[in-house]
């Protein structure tokens, strides 16, 4: 592959089989028009994959075959049996509306593109399919078949695979609605073997894809570090008329929570953009912990760490140690923490998110809410949220969102009832190793002392390395 001529693959097949969806998922491009009605794609359209300003590979969306049996009959009746017959066919039929699609889809192929033939493997094979395969074989171009099953069930898969072996250099199951990074890479690996001459160029393509993904992971780790920093250190202030001004307190608590939610929303936006989900905005399913309020009791129970893990994380990080419970649970109403007998009670007493905001404005510093007199005025202050569980809850939510985004194939255009990845209700950090949790907690501790820049940078670097490893493992994990 020279710098000026990238590899090109034409995605071809019967109408409505999912060709455009496959292009969209492979090129990570959600601008590709997809529709439930056959005949959506009428002309060829090139979708380049651009990395570092360079076109790495191009996928060409094409219209579905219109008249495959007649086309094949013409080719069979032609004196030549190779690619020159295909060229001659195009020239002879360019002006005929009944063969418009064939002329379109064969154009990039005769111009040198490789072929990716897409079929819906959940339906039986028909004579048209055999004609299409034979036409493609006669082009002589390197070609692979992709089985994009729209429905579940493997009834017809063997039949398809047998036919494919005769007509294609390789076959791969690839689902346009589900394929994630690992499956895209597996497909590219298969493309590497469809033609020996293309192998070095395909290797470059694969390397570029891999490096690009590593960069996105590093950027995600940076964004998570930034979210944790700004959220845990966020502070809101308000003047209030007099002590015990409940209305001001409520307003301030609302503002505090709203601003934190907004930070999370902006983080989501950046992650979506990083992973090229530019047009469609998909919400995780209702079951997801992301759909719950960040400050809801349920979220604080199911995400983050349990009590023992929190104490250990803090102790291992050389921070507050097991004794400093009030520091660990800073931000949760002191009233709730002591009066409810939280030490004996369940997690809800410890981590009750709603209670976190239920702060009494009667002391100088009641867990997250400060009252102070300045220039004769009473000032309310909420934050910073130096609460270890809050930190881990935020971290878990960031990881869940990452998983949601990377498992949402670009070819998908609607909510899926079987979106198991998005339904994830538990967090990740409870399953982390001590070492990983210690690194996170060190970062948490360093965030309390922003002026110690050197320490903060050192600890952040170590934490980002852990995050990159975690995100890389999540990228290749099998879908639930
Ligand atoms: N369930 C499911 N539906 C799919 C899948 N791939 C595509 N579809 C749906 O099938 C329909 C057709 O998809 P397209 O990608 O537009 O098909 P096409 O082959 O490009 O169609 P034409 O351009 O009309 O030839 C759309 O409603 C897609 O959402 C899949 O993997 N699973
Ligand atoms: Mg299409």
């Amino acid at each position: 592959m020279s710098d000026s001529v990238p590899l090109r693959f034409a995605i071809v097949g019967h109408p409505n089989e999912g060709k455009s969806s496959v292009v969209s998922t492979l090129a990570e491009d959600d601008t590709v028009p997809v529709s439930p009605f056959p005949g959506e794609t009428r002309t060829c359209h090139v979708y380049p994959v651009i990395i570092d300003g360079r076109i790495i590979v191009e996928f060409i969306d094409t219209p579905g075959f219109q008249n495959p049996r007649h086309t094949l009959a013409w080719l069979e009746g032609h004196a030549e049996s190779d690619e020159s017959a295909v060229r001659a066919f195009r020239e002879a039929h360019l002006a005929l509306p009944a063969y418009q699609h064939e002329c379109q889809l064969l154009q990039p192929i005769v111009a040198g593109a490789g072929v990716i033939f897409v079929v819906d493997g959940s339906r039986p094979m028909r004579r048209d399919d055999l004609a299409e395969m034979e036409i493609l074989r006669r082009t002589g171009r390197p070609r692979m078949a992709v089985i994009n099953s729209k429905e579940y069930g493997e009834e017809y898969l063997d039949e398809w695979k047998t036919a494919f072996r005769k007509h294609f250099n390789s076959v791969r199951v690839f689902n346009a609605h589900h394929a994630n990074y690992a499956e895209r890479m597996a497909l590219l690996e298969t493309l590497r073997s469809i033609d020996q001459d293309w192998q070095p160029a395909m290797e470059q393509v694969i390397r570029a894809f891999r490096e690009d993904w590593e960069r996105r992971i590093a950027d995600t780790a940076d964004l998570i570090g930034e979210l944790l920093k700004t959220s845990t250190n966020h502070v809101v202030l308000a003047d209030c008329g007099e002590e015990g001004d409940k209305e001001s307190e409520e307003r301030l608590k609302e503002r505090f929570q709203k601003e934190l939610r907004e930070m999370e929303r902006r983080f989501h936006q950046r992650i979506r953009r990083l992973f090229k989900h530019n047009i469609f905005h998909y919400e995780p399913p209702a079951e997801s912990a992301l759909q719950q309020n960040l400050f809801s009791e349920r979220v604080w129970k199911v995400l983050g760490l349990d009590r023992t893990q929190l104490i250990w994380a803090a102790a291992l990080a050389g921070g507050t140690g097991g004794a400093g419970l009030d520091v660990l649970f800073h931000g949760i109403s002191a009233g709730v923490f002591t009066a409810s007998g939280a030490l004996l009670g369940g997690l809800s007493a410890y981590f009750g998110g709603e209670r976190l905001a239920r702060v009494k404005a009667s002391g100088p510093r009641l867990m997250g809410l400060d009252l102070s007199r300045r220039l004769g005025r009473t000032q309310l202050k909420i934050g910073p949220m130096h609460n270890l569980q809050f930190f881990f809850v935020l971290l878990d939510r960031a990881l869940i969102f990452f998983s949601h985004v990377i498992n949402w194939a670009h070819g998908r255009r609607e909510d899926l009832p079987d979106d198991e990845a998005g339904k994830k209700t538990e967090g990740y950090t409870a399953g982390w190793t001590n070492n990983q949790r210690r690194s996170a907690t060190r970062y948490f501790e360093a965030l309390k002392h922003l002026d110690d820049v050197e320490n903060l940078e050192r600890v952040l670097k170590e934490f980002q390395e852990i995050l990159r490893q975690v995100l890389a493992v999540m990228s290749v994990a099998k879908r639930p």
Side-chain angles (χ1 to χ4, degrees):
M1 177 176 62
S2 81
D3 273 358
S4 52
V5 187
L7 283 186
R8 291 186 134 196
F9 293 95
I11 290 53
V12 300
H14 211 66
N16 209 39
E17 296 284 278
K19 299 179 295 299
S20 300
S21 310
V22 167
V23 171
S24 179
T25 293
L26 265 181
E28 288 185 288
D29 187 334
D30 53 9
T31 66
V32 182
V34 166
S35 144
F37 307 108
E40 171 68 21
T41 313
R42 296 193 184 146
T43 53
C44 290
H45 197 289
V46 180
Y47 293 94
V49 175
I50 300 171
I51 298 177
D52 276 345
R54 203 164 69 90
I55 298 178
I56 299 300
V57 62
E58 290 176 329
F59 297 107
I60 307 168
D61 195 13
T62 67
F65 281 93
Q66 226 171 342
N67 250 316
R69 278 187 268 164
H70 284 120
T71 305
L72 181 60
W74 191 95
L75 291 175
E76 282 171 342
H78 199 265
E80 315 283 331
S81 64
D82 60 3
E83 185 219 334
S84 61
V86 179
R87 281 179 201 280
F89 169 84
R90 275 197 82 243
E91 278 154 26
H93 294 80
L94 271 173
L96 300 178
Y99 294 93
Q100 225 173 27
H101 286 186
E102 270 76 5
C103 291
Q104 273 282 323
L105 75 94
L106 290 170
Q107 191 278 328
I109 302 175
V110 295
V115 174
I116 298 178
F117 179 64
V118 175
V119 297
D120 173 4
S122 59
R123 64 164 178 83
M125 203 185 318
R126 298 180 291 238
R127 281 171 59 202
D128 273 357
D129 301 310
L130 285 167
E132 290 164 13
M133 290 185 220
E134 181 55 23
I135 294 167
L136 295 173
R137 193 188 64 76
R138 284 167 181 255
T139 66
R141 302 302 304 158
R143 58 204 175 278
M144 82 175 285
V146 161
I147 303 175
N148 172 48
S149 296
K150 290 198 203 170
E151 315 280 337
Y152 289 108
E154 304 194 334
E155 217 178 320
Y156 306 107
L157 275 190
D158 284 343
E159 187 188 354
W160 281 111
K161 283 184 179 167
T162 308
F164 284 157
R165 273 185 211 112
K166 289 185 209 142
H167 295 89
F168 294 90
N169 309 94
S170 47
V171 181
R172 187 135 212 121
V173 173
F174 181 84
N175 191 283
H177 274 194
H178 288 292
N180 56 16
Y181 167 70
E183 283 149 311
R184 284 200 306 278
M185 292 308 287
L187 189 135
L188 293 178
E189 296 275 358
T190 308
L191 277 179
R192 176 164 56 181
S193 62
I194 65 172
D195 192 288
Q196 218 171 5
D197 290 348
W198 287 19
Q199 216 160 320
M202 267 318 291
E203 258 150 35
Q204 280 187 41
V205 171
I206 290 167
R207 199 173 320 122
F209 268 71
R210 212 165 263 143
E211 285 168 5
D212 179 53
W213 193 262
E214 279 163 18
R215 263 194 303 268
R216 288 194 233 172
I217 282 197
D219 289 350
T220 304
D222 289 354
L223 288 171
I224 293 178
E226 189 58 32
L227 171 75
L228 293 170
K229 182 176 167 187
T230 48
S231 301
T232 53
N233 280 315
H234 190 58
V235 169
V236 287
L237 296 165
D239 284 339
C240 69
E242 52 196 53
E243 277 187 29
D245 176 355
K246 289 281 166 218
E247 236 177 74
S248 303
E249 261 180 61
E250 284 309 315
R251 269 203 307 275
L252 193 62
K253 276 183 269 178
E254 254 169 48
R255 200 181 108 201
F256 180 68
Q257 295 196 1
K258 193 170 149 222
E259 288 178 5
L260 283 174
R261 279 196 292 270
E262 178 57 22
M263 285 179 195
E264 204 182 35
R265 196 189 62 78
R266 280 202 302 270
F267 164 78
H268 290 176
Q269 236 171 11
R270 289 191 182 125
I271 297 290
R272 271 178 45 214
R273 218 171 294 139
L274 190 57
F275 289 90
K276 306 186 185 180
H277 287 287
N278 294 317
I279 297 187
F280 301 98
H281 175 63
Y282 301 112
E283 287 292 335
E287 297 91 330
S288 166
L290 279 178
Q291 292 290 22
Q292 313 288 319
N293 185 339
L294 170 59
F295 296 95
S296 77
E297 184 163 344
R298 187 177 148 216
V299 166
W300 279 54
K301 266 194 237 170
V302 296
L303 302 185
L305 308 184
D306 67 26
R307 194 177 61 179
T308 315
Q309 288 174 327
L310 281 170
I311 293 167
W312 270 106
L316 286 168
T320 51
L325 283 177
D326 56 355
V327 181
L328 280 181
F329 305 118
H330 176 89
I332 299 173
S333 160
V336 171
F337 186 62
T338 52
S340 66
L343 282 170
L344 301 171
L347 281 175
S348 69
Y350 262 54
F351 307 136
E354 285 301 336
R355 286 164 193 162
L356 176 123
R358 215 183 296 153
V359 198
K360 288 181 187 163
S362 56
R365 183 182 178 86
L366 276 176
M367 300 305 203
L369 183 80
D370 270 4
L371 262 186
S372 57
R373 287 188 176 281
R374 254 181 234 154
L375 301 171
R377 308 175 78 174
T378 307
Q379 196 174 48
L380 288 170
K381 175 186 173 199
I382 300 183
M385 276 289 283
H386 288 156
N387 174 290
L388 191 55
Q389 178 67 341
F390 175 69
F391 177 91
F392 274 103
V393 167
L394 264 180
L395 176 52
D396 265 336
R397 284 168 66 101
L399 295 173
I400 292 175
F401 190 73
F402 169 78
S403 165
H404 168 64
V405 167
I406 64 165
N407 281 299
W408 189 290
H410 290 74
R412 208 169 119 183
R413 294 285 183 273
E414 72 268 355
D415 278 325
L416 277 190
D418 56 347
D419 175 24
E420 290 305 326
K423 279 182 191 162
K424 188 152 174 59
T425 48
E426 305 143 32
Y428 290 89
T429 54
W432 278 14
T433 63
N434 278 341
N435 194 32
Q436 291 169 323
R437 289 202 290 255
R438 179 174 52 209
S439 172
T441 310
R442 279 204 185 126
Y443 180 51
F444 165 79
E445 290 292 335
L447 288 176
K448 293 180 191 165
H449 311 284
L450 295 178
D451 49 341
D452 189 349
V453 179
E454 214 175 287
N455 179 54
L456 185 62
E457 270 179 14
R458 188 175 47 79
V459 168
L460 174 61
K461 221 165 147 199
E462 185 197 297
F463 178 48
Q464 281 173 335
E465 181 52 38
I466 299 270
L467 278 177
R468 282 198 289 270
Q469 287 164 13
V470 166
L471 299 170
V473 169
M474 286 168 74
S475 302
V476 293
K478 275 206 169 317
R479 267 192 318 269

